[in-house]
Amino acid sequence: MSQKHLKEAFISNLNGTSLVEISLGLSLAPLCLLCRGLLLISYYLHCGKPLSSRKYSLLLDFLVLVSPLLFSCTVLSPVIFFMPTTITAFCAGIFSKIYSQRKHETRVSFRQIVQDFQKTYLDPEYIPAITVFRVYVNVLTSISILAVDFPQYPRRYAKAETYGTGVMDLGVGAFIFGNALVCPEVRQKSYVTQPKFSNLARQFFSVWPLIFLGIGRLLSVKSIEYHEHTSEYGVHWNFFFTLAFVRLAASLFLAIFPKNKSWIVAINLAVLYQLILNTTSLKMFILHGSNGRDTRVGFLNANREGLLSLFGYLAIYMASVQVGLCLQKCRNSVKGWTEAACFLLLTALVLFVFLHVSQVYADPVSRRMANLSYCIWVVAHCLMFFTCFVVTDLVLVFTKLLVKGSSVPCCWNVLKPPNTSTKHEMEAALMGRDSNLSHICLISAINKNQLLFFLLANVMTGTVNILIDTIHSKTAFTLGILHLYMFFNCLIMYILHAKNIVLKFW
């Protein structure tokens, strides 16, 4: 077999992993974020000033926010069940030290601290969990698209062939989910009156980079005979085209239907699509082509997975719009966000019940078709993932209130801390506003140029695969390559952010 066919076989005919393993893996990102925040607060407590060195901040962010995820999907994947416990214990130790030192300075009871924490006001204009969710989906995707070509990446994490729940199957849907959270229809204030189809017209002009990138990827892959998994999207289709067409279709639906009813549109789309799959020959067409022997003759046959899965991805997008609208409601207190986190978690648990019913009576999860079970699975896991980030932010806000003046980038700004009766205390508390440290935060850096980060990751992945025989790489070499690849991508984003450069011209 040629190198191209060997690599294609290496990423084909896989069945995914369990929902429990995926959930445990997703919990690592919020725990890493919590660990980074607690380390920064502990540093401030001992040194009396925030970590201001860009060099050390980048190193800390990479080692704590990125490197553990890279290890978890390679050499540490066999012990993935123990990793959340280990990181949680480490975070608990740091918090215990911070609290014990705070207790020696002031004799306020823990109960009083909690009561004051619940009355704390947060910045309603900025929801850090949305930024962190979108950045981490991008980071995890970037790690996986290269790591999957190495033998150290477990085959169960890769995309399933037809049915199954692989980590990379979730990543595709999570990308759609994250994009919808910040779409123009969600960010647009309710009191702003605009022509009904204005967003649709803007979307037609704003998606051209995705179309351009899709065409560029298609031409480059075909010209160098790069290995590709045909049953993923088809012969000519790719994820850039999916992103573009889903955004256009969603803008059309949101121009026709009230945006606060987008969840109804999502349910109808997903259920109707599943009914058509089960009651017609559409499912057999997607899986085996029009002749039943996997023909790729004609544009529709050649790209049937990419074209028909648009219905499922559109349903996920519309459901995410509803979530985004829910999050935009003004909740400027810790108590309000605690209630919101409980509601999101409860919704996710209900969706997991529906997922079980859907898999038993309709169809198992299939990313290839983007069927009803896949839509429910993606939304449920994304809600859980997002809720973990909200809880992490609340814990960091609580810890920041223990150490006056401490700050954590990409964490909630405290607008009105309790017991700030004197001018000195108020000034100390407002020093914790994290916007002044965003210039040395890797999350902020990636967030500013997310599409560029994703594009750079794709280009670097292709370059590494052309230059290296990834299938037969040794463990130490693999870890070195993956760390260099991710560090280079992060460093480019960091430099652009430090110079306040945003490469967006559409």
Side-chain angles (χ1 to χ4, degrees):
M1 294 176 71
S2 67
Q3 190 73 7
K4 176 178 184 290
H5 290 119
L6 276 173
K7 289 191 174 184
E8 286 174 355
F10 192 59
I11 57 174
S12 302
N13 302 313
L14 304 172
N15 299 312
T17 185
S18 67
L19 298 182
V20 174
E21 185 171 15
I22 292 175
S23 298
L24 284 170
L26 288 178
S27 69
L28 292 177
L31 286 171
C32 290
L33 187 72
L34 177 63
C35 183
R36 192 276 298 254
L38 292 174
L39 286 172
L40 289 173
I41 294 172
S42 179
Y43 178 87
Y44 180 88
L45 186 62
H46 288 90
C47 299
K49 61 179 182 179
L51 181 64
S52 56
S53 168
R54 290 183 176 179
K55 179 173 64 175
Y56 290 125
S57 293
L58 173 61
L59 192 61
L60 175 68
D61 281 0
F62 185 80
L63 291 178
V64 179
L65 299 180
V66 179
S67 193
L69 303 178
L70 206 154
F71 278 107
S72 71
C73 66
T74 50
V75 293
L76 294 182
S77 58
V79 292
I80 190 72
F81 289 89
F82 299 102
M83 288 188 67
T85 307
T86 305
I87 299 176
T88 301
F90 183 69
C91 291
I94 300 173
F95 178 83
S96 178
K97 281 192 172 183
I98 293 172
Y99 179 72
S100 60
Q101 190 160 343
R102 163 73 163 74
K103 196 173 181 181
H104 287 140
E105 295 173 4
T106 58
R107 298 189 176 276
V108 182
S109 67
F110 184 78
R111 184 178 179 181
Q112 183 61 46
I113 294 172
V114 172
Q115 288 176 349
D116 290 342
F117 170 64
Q118 290 177 335
K119 298 173 186 175
T120 300
Y121 287 91
L122 305 172
D123 186 354
E125 297 299 319
Y126 174 59
I127 304 172
I130 293 179
T131 299
V132 178
F133 175 91
R134 298 181 72 243
V135 167
Y136 257 117
V137 167
N138 216 329
V139 168
L140 289 167
T141 302
S142 299
I143 292 172
S144 294
I145 60 175
L146 178 58
V148 71
D149 294 315
F150 290 90
Q152 289 75 20
Y153 188 87
R155 297 301 90 195
R156 65 185 185 275
Y157 288 1
K159 289 177 181 175
E161 185 68 28
T162 302
Y163 295 106
T165 52
V167 174
M168 294 185 72
D169 293 314
L170 178 63
V172 177
F175 226 101
I176 298 286
F177 188 95
N179 276 2
L181 285 179
V182 294
C183 70
E185 291 83 1
V186 170
R187 288 184 281 112
Q188 182 181 313
K189 301 295 183 183
S190 57
Y191 55 79
V192 177
T193 56
Q194 291 186 347
K196 201 168 186 180
F197 288 89
S198 61
N199 281 329
L200 180 60
R202 280 199 299 272
Q203 287 295 332
F204 269 108
F205 290 102
S206 67
V207 300
W208 74 262
L210 295 173
I211 300 291
F212 179 77
L213 291 172
I215 294 172
R217 177 180 170 80
L218 172 63
L219 294 177
S220 60
V221 165
K222 299 300 180 185
S223 63
I224 63 175
E225 293 190 352
Y226 190 77
H227 67 278
E228 51 186 331
H229 193 186
T230 305
S231 64
E232 189 176 339
Y233 296 107
V235 177
H236 312 103
W237 203 263
N238 58 57
F239 189 55
F240 290 111
F241 291 139
T242 295
L243 281 175
F245 282 90
V246 166
R247 282 179 60 178
L248 286 176
S251 295
L252 178 61
F253 274 108
L254 291 168
I256 297 172
F257 302 102
K259 60 183 181 181
N260 60 348
K261 303 295 182 184
S262 57
W263 66 277
I264 298 176
V265 178
I267 291 173
N268 279 283
L269 265 173
V271 171
L272 181 60
Y273 177 49
Q274 185 63 54
L275 283 173
I276 295 172
L277 285 173
N278 284 3
T279 57
T280 68
S281 59
L282 185 63
K283 184 192 297 185
M284 294 302 295
F285 171 72
I286 295 174
L287 298 180
H288 305 293
S290 58
N291 67 350
R293 294 193 296 272
D294 201 27
T295 177
R296 293 288 173 179
V297 178
F299 183 77
L300 186 57
N301 266 308
N303 304 286
R304 54 185 184 266
E305 293 91 350
L307 291 169
L308 293 169
S309 63
L310 289 173
F311 293 104
Y313 290 125
L314 181 57
I316 293 170
Y317 192 100
M318 297 299 290
S320 181
V321 167
Q322 189 69 55
V323 175
L325 291 172
C326 178
L327 296 174
Q328 292 298 331
K329 291 180 180 176
C330 186
R331 293 187 179 91
N332 59 353
S333 68
V334 166
K335 186 177 180 182
W337 274 104
T338 304
E339 292 171 353
C342 291
F343 175 76
L344 291 174
L345 183 60
L346 180 62
T347 305
L349 293 175
V350 171
L351 285 174
F352 276 117
V353 173
F354 281 120
L355 174 61
H356 176 72
V357 174
S358 176
Q359 293 208 94
V360 171
Y361 295 102
D363 224 4
V365 173
S366 173
R367 183 255 332 141
R368 187 173 175 182
M369 291 182 280
N371 58 3
L372 175 63
S373 295
Y374 177 76
C375 295
I376 297 173
W377 173 56
V378 167
V379 174
H381 255 119
C382 286
L383 286 176
M384 283 192 66
F385 195 37
F386 182 83
T387 304
C388 288
F389 284 124
V390 173
V391 173
T392 298
D393 283 329
L394 290 175
V395 173
L396 289 176
V397 168
F398 180 83
T399 313
K400 285 197 300 179
L401 291 176
L402 293 176
V403 184
K404 299 298 183 184
S406 61
S407 55
V408 179
C410 286
C411 180
W412 256 309
N413 293 325
V414 178
L415 295 184
K416 187 181 177 183
N419 299 333
T420 51
S421 53
T422 68
K423 182 180 179 181
H424 172 73
E425 287 177 338
M426 177 62 81
E427 289 174 351
L430 291 179
M431 278 177 64
R433 293 182 68 99
D434 307 318
S435 54
N436 25 342
L437 288 182
S438 63
H439 66 287
I440 53 173
C441 175
L442 182 58
I443 292 172
S444 297
I446 297 174
N447 182 56
K448 264 197 170 180
N449 287 288
Q450 288 214 46
L451 183 57
L452 178 65
F453 181 80
F454 184 58
L455 176 61
L456 185 61
N458 275 269
V459 172
M460 288 292 294
T461 296
T463 305
V464 171
N465 269 282
I466 291 170
L467 298 176
I468 296 173
D469 178 13
T470 57
I471 297 178
H472 301 103
S473 296
K474 301 297 182 182
T475 301
F477 181 76
T478 297
L479 291 175
I481 290 295
L482 290 175
H483 274 87
L484 281 173
Y485 153 79
M486 283 305 297
F487 186 77
F488 177 77
N489 290 351
C490 292
L491 180 62
I492 296 296
M493 298 302 108
Y494 203 78
I495 292 171
L496 291 174
H497 186 51
K499 296 182 179 298
N500 200 28
I501 299 173
V502 181
L503 296 179
K504 184 176 180 179
F505 43 86
W506 58 87

